[in-house]
């Protein structure tokens, strides 16, 4: 890990059709073993996970992977406001980033997605026109059901309204009604467009089975005695039945994307590096 921390990433802006996307490229150490594109999570989870994303990128770069981090449209230091963001636009950003990696490294691509970024990576993998076949997909605590994810997101608005003494009697139904009228909504400092919310709500992991690349799926638990959630094992079982090469593993550590403090999960970094040393095996 000490060697990984010494890496020097290269920041730049990637030109796309409607602006620029901020990128951070971690060059591979020694012989290049592959290219990896990191797909960040949604809204504030992006900021909370930046340190872990950097630690993982440096560790993989030390192991011979060229790693590209990109802030999607309206996120982080990229152009546009969050209100401008659309699901299909984010997939176009990933396609541009993958093309840049192919030009720079010319090696098979691995996708690593966290939370909603994992669902986006899976959806991207289904439809993207890539220069080379995907080598692997890595999922960190993926969002499995878009509707439930949106409900949790909207509840943060209700909690904020409650603290401010506002009217919260109608709950998420009232907020969804606002979106249904085509109006945007401010939640936790992020103004979201109804079109983006509709796309997220339509996500269903059962329909996102990755058929073209081995899959490494990591869940993070607070303790070794915590079982993997039934929803997770059910999806994994369904995907395996479809022939997906899937390895599902639980690691112990902090759920850093949900913590207000900057968090790390060293076991997740180590397990991800270990998984990408060897091809995935059918489970």
């Amino acid at each position: 890990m000490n060697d990984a921390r010494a890496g020097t990433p290269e920041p730049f802006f990637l030109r796309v059709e409607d602006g620029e996307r901020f990128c951070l490229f971690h060059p591979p150490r020694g012989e290049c073993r592959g290219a990896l594109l990191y797909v960040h999570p949604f809204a504030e989870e992006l900021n909370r996970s930046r340190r872990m994303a950097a630690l993982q990128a440096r560790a993989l770069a030390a192991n011979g992977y060229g790693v590209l981090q990109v802030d999607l449209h309206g996120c982080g230091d990229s152009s546009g406001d969050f209100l401008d963001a659309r699901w299909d636009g984010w997939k176009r950003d990933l396609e541009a980033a993958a093309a840049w990696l192919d030009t720079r490294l010319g090696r098979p691509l691995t996708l690593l997605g966290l939370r909603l970024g994992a669902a986006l990576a899976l959806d991207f993998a289904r439809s993207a026109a890539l220069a080379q076949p995907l080598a692997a997909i890595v999922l960190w605590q993926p969002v499995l059901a878009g509707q439930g994810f949106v409900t949790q997101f909207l509840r943060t608005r209700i909690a904020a309204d409650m603290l401010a003494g506002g009217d919260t009697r109608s709950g998420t139904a009232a907020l969804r009604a606002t979106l249904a009228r085509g109006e945007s909504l401010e939640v936790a400092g992020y103004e979201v467009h109804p079109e983006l919310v509709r796309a997220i709500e339509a996500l269903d992991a059962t329909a996102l089975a990755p058929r073209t690349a081995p899959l490494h799926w990591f869940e993070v638990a607070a303790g070794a005695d915590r079982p993997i959630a039934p929803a997770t094992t059910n999806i994994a079982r369904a995907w395996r039945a479809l022939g997906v090469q899937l390895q599902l593993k639980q690691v112990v550590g902090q759920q850093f994307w949900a913590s207000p403090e900057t968090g790390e999960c060293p076991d997740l970094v180590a397990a991800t590096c270990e998984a990408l040393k060897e091809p995935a095996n059918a489970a």
Side-chain angles (χ1 to χ4, degrees), residues 213-278:
L215 182 72
H216 301 276
W217 181 344
F218 295 100
E219 293 284 306
V220 179
D225 58 339
R226 302 288 181 87
I228 295 177
T232 296
T233 55
N234 288 341
I235 293 294
R237 187 181 304 114
W239 284 0
R240 285 168 175 151
L242 293 171
V244 176
Q245 299 179 56
L246 166 63
Q247 291 188 338
L248 173 61
K249 184 174 182 179
Q250 182 164 275
V251 298
V252 176
Q254 183 182 17
Q255 294 192 335
F256 50 90
W257 60 89
S259 172
E261 306 293 334
T262 301
E264 296 183 13
C265 183
D267 286 358
L268 182 59
V269 174
T272 300
C273 288
E274 181 65 27
L276 294 181
K277 281 184 177 178
E278 302 293 341

Side-chain angles (χ1 to χ4, degrees), residues 59-137:
L60 286 170
N63 288 342
Y65 277 86
V67 180
L68 184 63
Q69 298 174 249
V70 56
D71 288 352
L72 301 172
H73 189 189
C75 302
D77 292 318
S78 288
S79 60
D81 296 325
F82 201 78
L83 180 61
D84 302 324
R86 303 289 187 276
W87 189 259
D88 286 342
W90 284 348
K91 289 201 293 183
R92 288 193 293 274
D93 288 349
L94 296 181
E95 192 158 350
W100 185 92
L101 269 173
D102 185 64
T103 299
R104 175 72 180 254
L105 301 176
R107 302 303 300 269
L109 179 68
T110 292
L111 297 171
L112 191 164
L114 168 61
R115 301 282 291 144
L116 191 67
L120 179 61
L122 289 170
D123 195 24
F124 171 71
R126 291 193 312 161
S127 58
L130 298 173
Q132 302 186 50
L134 276 176
I137 301 174

